[in-house]
Amino acid sequence: MTDSSFAISGASIEMKTQIGILGAGPAGLYLAHLLHRAGIDCVILESRSREEIEGTIRAGVLEQWVVDLTVQLGLGERMMREGHFHSGVTFQFGGQRHHIDMEELTSGKRVTVYAQHEVIKDLVAARLAHGGKIVFSVQDVQLHNVDGDQPKITYRVGGDTDELRCDFIAGCDGFHGPSRQAIPVVDRVEYQKIYPFGWLGILARAPASWHELIYSRHERGFGLLSTRSPEIQRLYLQCDPNDAIANWPDERIWAEMQLRFGYPGWTLIEGPIFQKNILAMRSFVCETMQFGRLFLAGDAAHIVPPTGAKGLNLAVADVLVLSQGLEAWYRRGTREGLDNYSPACLPRIWKGERFSWYMTTLLHLDETEGRFEQRVRMADLDYVVHSRAAMTALAENYVGLPFGN
Ligand SMILES: Cc1cc2nc3c(=O)[nH]c(=O)nc-3n(C[C@H](O)[C@H](O)[C@H](O)COP(=O)(O)OP(=O)(O)OC[C@H]3O[C@@H](n4cnc5c(N)ncnc54)[C@H](O)[C@@H]3O)c2cc1C
């Protein structure tokens, strides 16, 4: 392994590493651990503080192969102890509940519910314990010479402008980061869909009301009941993406939840709400995901609405492919894996986009659609829960498609 080197010139710091990673989200952190396993040196630059990234509430559902990879990397000890392993999900519509047995339909695969910020805590702690370098709270990040042989990143921490020289840059800086903008507009094509609804998400201190996730399509809109721990529950309601959270006092939220999840003989257990927010939903893909020595991964290159629980899982899939390309470059001097990065990632990404779009349109009430389309959605739901073939297709996407198909 080549250690990162650094020199101090005046008050600025100049560092040199093999891979400069922008962003300590799931994409950046998994990449750093994969590179560490392969003996490749890297430095992560992150614009937020450690406390902020470890406190941001986002994803919760991990595909089986992501859990297996996490364990292989020696990072899964707490996940295996504290995560919840779900063998199925419940769909609720038309006053009925239907269990979809993912484990049985996919020959033994399950999903794991373990919050993204817990994954982040585990990966940051292990990275620092391995002597890895993460520079938090960087500002004014700029990418230079990405189409040349010696790219570099300049950034500020405090008052000084520091620089990181590297062989390659991994743009793992999310949808709003600067990496994607470093690819000239003429060299990328962007595909986007904005949905006319959003999600109001809450975290509540209460025991679990149901043993698995409930996806509810109701005449008042979609609802998702999910969990974080035996004491903390995560629930979502479809809402107007432009609504203000101030319009949603806790009593209104619980009243709406009771309507959307209501089921005879069953009780939705309420509790104090300690976090609530509204998020908009979009689907987005940037093609290409590479330019010169810059490679985009995760939300920097693609976004999905959270209904299919795919965003984090796709981010990890990207960096797995990227790490293999980088390993081939450093071990054998072959550039084929790197040159093939976008074509290798995009088929899986588009399948994740399709599934996330499908789950979203299937389960939400879209008032911009006509009554015909809404009846077709109901027919589709009825088909999904009664046809083994349709249920199997849904289950194999939900637990994670195999690689290479
Ligand atoms: C409500 C919700 C629920 C979700 N549920 C699921 C789920 O169940 N399963 C699932 O797989 N996915 C889910 N997702 C999606 C998932 O959270 C994202 O896809 C995932 O975080 C993407 O990881 P990333 O590392 O690519 O990007 P991010 O997590 O966005 O990380 C990017 C990092 O880059 C940093 N950054 C930004 N700009 C700069 C800069 N200039 N310089 C340096 N650093 C920078 C950011 O601070 C951030 O830490 C959900 C998302 C939401 C919002």
Side-chain angles (χ1 to χ4, degrees):
M1 187 195 304
T2 318
D3 285 326
S4 313
S5 60
F6 62 97
I8 299 177
S9 120
S12 339
I13 295 174
E14 287 173 18
M15 280 196 284
K16 171 97 184 78
T17 188
Q18 289 173 306
I19 315 300
I21 301 177
L22 277 175
L29 287 165
Y30 271 96
L31 179 60
H33 282 282
L34 288 161
L35 294 176
H36 174 75
R37 182 173 72 172
I40 300 168
D41 186 50
C42 67
V43 171
I44 302 181
L45 303 177
E46 165 58 53
S47 58
R48 293 182 297 156
S49 67
R50 182 174 180 183
E51 293 69 34
E52 281 175 282
I53 62 166
E54 292 185 347
T56 304
I57 308 296
R58 291 183 79 181
V61 179
L62 307 177
E63 294 175 359
Q64 169 109 38
W65 73 270
V66 173
V67 172
D68 295 344
L69 177 69
T70 310
V71 171
Q72 278 168 27
L73 288 168
L75 303 165
E77 195 261 328
R78 202 162 67 91
M79 173 185 291
M80 298 313 283
R81 197 162 18 93
E82 296 178 13
H84 301 265
F85 304 96
H86 287 202
S87 58
V89 293
T90 296
F91 273 23
Q92 177 170 336
F93 59 95
Q96 306 235 321
R97 280 190 182 167
H98 306 266
H99 170 65
I100 300 184
D101 190 339
M102 308 272 174
E103 190 169 11
E104 194 263 327
L105 291 161
T106 61
S107 310
K109 288 190 185 157
R110 300 182 296 176
V111 293
T112 299
V113 179
Y114 184 66
Q116 176 167 330
H117 66 283
E118 303 295 348
V119 175
I120 298 284
K121 281 184 204 165
D122 296 346
L123 269 62
V124 168
R127 188 72 200 120
L128 297 176
H130 292 157
K133 180 120 183 102
I134 307 176
V135 186
F136 291 102
S137 306
V138 299
Q139 294 173 318
D140 293 343
V141 171
Q142 289 182 34
L143 295 80
H144 306 266
N145 202 22
V146 291
D147 54 348
D149 284 344
Q150 290 182 319
K152 72 172 181 184
I153 306 167
T154 55
Y155 58 97
R156 273 194 314 109
V157 186
D160 301 310
T161 299
D162 299 336
E163 77 178 39
L164 176 65
R165 293 180 179 277
C166 46
D167 299 337
F168 299 96
I169 297 175
C172 303
D173 46 355
F175 185 69
H176 299 288
S179 295
R180 189 174 64 255
Q181 309 308 332
I183 301 180
V185 174
V186 290
D187 289 299
R188 59 184 145 99
V189 181
E190 297 184 346
Y191 302 86
Q192 174 158 266
K193 177 175 173 62
I194 308 272
Y195 297 85
F197 40 75
W199 276 11
L200 188 162
I202 63 162
L203 280 171
R205 221 170 287 287
S209 299
W210 192 241
H211 59 284
E212 60 190 19
L213 272 61
I214 301 179
Y215 287 83
S216 168
R217 181 181 165 121
H218 188 270
E219 61 199 17
R220 299 178 65 86
F222 170 74
L224 172 59
L225 179 143
S226 131
T227 187
R228 281 294 179 267
S229 72
E231 301 83 30
I232 295 181
Q233 309 311 316
R234 181 82 166 134
L235 294 96
Y236 301 96
L237 288 176
Q238 175 181 349
C239 67
D240 177 344
N242 301 311
D243 205 349
I245 198 69
N247 293 332
W248 287 88
D250 295 2
E251 311 72 58
R252 182 181 173 203
I253 294 176
W254 282 121
E256 198 61 39
M257 296 280 181
Q258 293 290 357
L259 288 172
R260 296 199 197 175
F261 294 110
Y263 188 69
W266 174 82
T267 309
L268 173 65
I269 306 169
E270 299 182 9
I273 296 174
F274 61 94
Q275 214 244 25
K276 54 182 165 181
N277 65 331
I278 289 178
L279 58 116
M281 304 233 257
R282 82 169 83 217
S283 298
F284 172 88
V285 180
C286 172
E287 293 188 9
T288 174
M289 294 168 64
Q290 63 194 96
F291 181 71
R293 288 182 169 241
L294 167 66
F295 296 86
L296 305 180
D299 280 15
H302 44 80
I303 294 278
V304 284
T307 331
K310 287 283 159 265
L312 183 156
N313 296 293
L314 288 174
V316 183
D318 291 349
V319 297
L320 184 59
V321 175
L322 182 55
S323 69
Q324 288 161 352
L326 290 167
E327 198 175 343
W329 167 263
Y330 285 110
R331 288 236 171 117
R332 299 187 289 282
T334 51
R335 214 191 135 126
E336 203 188 335
L338 290 176
D339 290 341
N340 236 352
Y341 173 66
S342 279
C345 292
L346 282 165
R348 185 177 188 85
I349 290 165
W350 275 109
K351 285 178 194 135
E353 291 284 341
R354 184 208 70 82
F355 180 67
S356 304
W357 163 85
Y358 170 71
M359 287 281 281
T360 303
T361 50
L362 180 69
L363 291 160
H364 288 72
L365 204 64
D366 183 349
E367 281 165 355
T368 65
E369 283 190 340
R371 286 191 302 172
F372 177 83
E373 283 81 4
Q374 300 205 10
R375 291 304 296 261
V376 168
R377 306 275 177 239
M378 294 305 290
D380 198 347
L381 264 176
D382 196 39
Y383 174 57
V384 161
V385 299
H386 290 108
S387 153
R388 188 174 171 86
M391 250 190 285
T392 306
L394 188 133
E396 75 167 355
N397 279 277
Y398 196 80
V399 300
L401 292 171
F403 276 83
N405 291 314

